[in-house]
Amino acid sequence: NAGVTQTPKFQVLKTGQSMTLQCAQDMNHEYMSWYRQDPGMGLRLIHYSVGAGITDQGEVPNGYNVSRSTTEDFPLRLLSAAPSQTSVYFCASSYRGSGRGIKETQYFGPGTRLLVL
Amino acid sequence: GQQVMQIPQYQHVQEGEDFTTYCNSSTTLSNIQWYKQRPGGHPVFLIQLVKSGEVKKQKRLTFQFGEAKKNSSLHITATQTTDVGTYFCAGPVSLLYGGSQGNLIFGKGTKLSVKP
């Protein structure tokens, strides 16, 4: 199993550009989430999905869109990049856990480091 | 809203010294989880505690869950340079605060540096 994969690893954007951060998992997890990590701010939830076709907003959703057409993929779209979106982005997945062990444990991808100029 | 607080934010120790990080939640948690993030890496799950007063050990790491299920601690005995990183605690987001099953709220982490 590859676990959670993210592409690209690094990206530089100009203000106003759009892009999609890719995330895929091969563990058949129901839940997938996007976090951003900024110095001193910990991990903040952007959007999450509890299954294919279902998404919802987290703590800091503004400027980002998501969709979940399959169980495996959960892309994050930056609509019009701003310098405030310079951050490290982590995708994570978890399984529902009922009767299958530890609940809500997040499996993180390696991250995408984004710089917006 | 729901908060998870960790102290200290930074800790610098000499190799061989002990280290402790504390986690406090504004709400009672059904479970608490600990993650470690190495410099330049991604958070990796360490352990989950579920029962009130639970204590679990992983080699030199000791994890505790408070009796009221609102606080937790991670203690490392005789730190090594391999312990360097940021340690996060996390708990399920309460449905009362708009959370959904599967969501976690993370503390801001304690960054540990170890001087050889």
Side-chain angles (χ1 to χ4, degrees):
Chain A
N1 282 355
V4 180
T5 57
Q6 290 184 240
T7 56
K9 286 187 169 59
F10 303 96
Q11 184 70 49
V12 179
L13 290 178
K14 293 181 180 179
T15 297
Q17 287 185 315
S18 63
M19 78 160 295
T20 299
L21 279 62
Q22 301 292 343
C23 174
Q25 53 95 7
D26 62 358
M27 297 174 283
N28 202 31
H29 285 172
E30 298 93 338
Y31 302 106
M32 295 187 76
S33 308
W34 276 102
Y35 296 87
R36 60 177 290 174
Q37 185 175 37
D38 304 292
M41 298 296 291
L43 293 156
R44 293 185 292 171
L45 183 64
I46 304 171
H47 286 286
Y48 65 95
S49 168
V50 299
I54 306 170
T55 63
D56 207 343
Q57 296 180 350
E59 180 185 355
V60 287
N62 291 342
Y64 308 94
N65 271 358
V66 292
S67 60
R68 183 111 179 259
S69 56
T70 66
T71 299
E72 294 78 21
D73 300 299
F74 191 42
L76 178 72
R77 296 181 186 85
L78 278 68
L79 308 172
S80 177
S84 61
Q85 293 179 304
T86 293
S87 187
V88 180
Y89 292 85
F90 289 103
C91 179
S93 71
S94 62
Y95 56 82
R96 190 166 293 169
S98 177
R100 289 166 60 190
I102 294 175
K103 295 183 181 182
E104 296 145 343
T105 302
Q106 301 276 337
Y107 294 82
F108 285 85
T112 294
R113 283 149 181 80
L114 177 67
L115 173 63
V116 183
L117 301 174
Chain B
Q2 185 180 6
Q3 294 183 2
V4 173
M5 295 149 285
Q6 266 185 271
I7 55 169
Q9 189 174 1
Y10 302 97
Q11 186 77 55
H12 309 284
V13 300
Q14 191 78 33
E15 188 172 23
E17 291 181 339
D18 292 356
F19 159 77
T20 304
T21 174
Y22 300 92
C23 179
N24 288 285
S25 170
S26 60
T27 63
T28 301
L29 300 171
S30 60
N31 70 80
I32 194 156
Q33 302 175 27
W34 286 91
Y35 293 77
K36 177 182 178 181
Q37 183 178 25
R38 295 181 186 275
H42 59 277
V44 174
F45 172 77
L46 291 177
I47 206 163
Q48 182 186 55
L49 304 171
V50 178
K51 299 177 183 177
S52 170
E54 188 170 12
V55 178
K56 287 188 176 180
K57 292 189 176 184
Q58 289 180 350
K59 296 183 181 178
R60 295 177 295 101
L61 277 62
T62 302
F63 304 84
Q64 294 188 341
F65 199 12
E67 295 290 339
K69 302 183 77 173
K70 294 181 71 174
N71 60 286
S72 181
S73 65
L74 158 60
H75 179 82
I76 302 178
T77 303
T79 55
Q80 300 175 358
T81 54
T82 53
D83 297 323
V84 164
T86 301
Y87 293 85
F88 293 96
C89 63
V93 177
S94 170
L95 298 179
L96 294 176
Y97 290 97
S100 177
Q101 189 177 6
N103 291 160
L104 293 179
I105 179 169
F106 284 82
K108 293 185 178 180
T110 295
K111 187 174 183 178
L112 172 65
S113 62
V114 179
K115 187 175 181 182

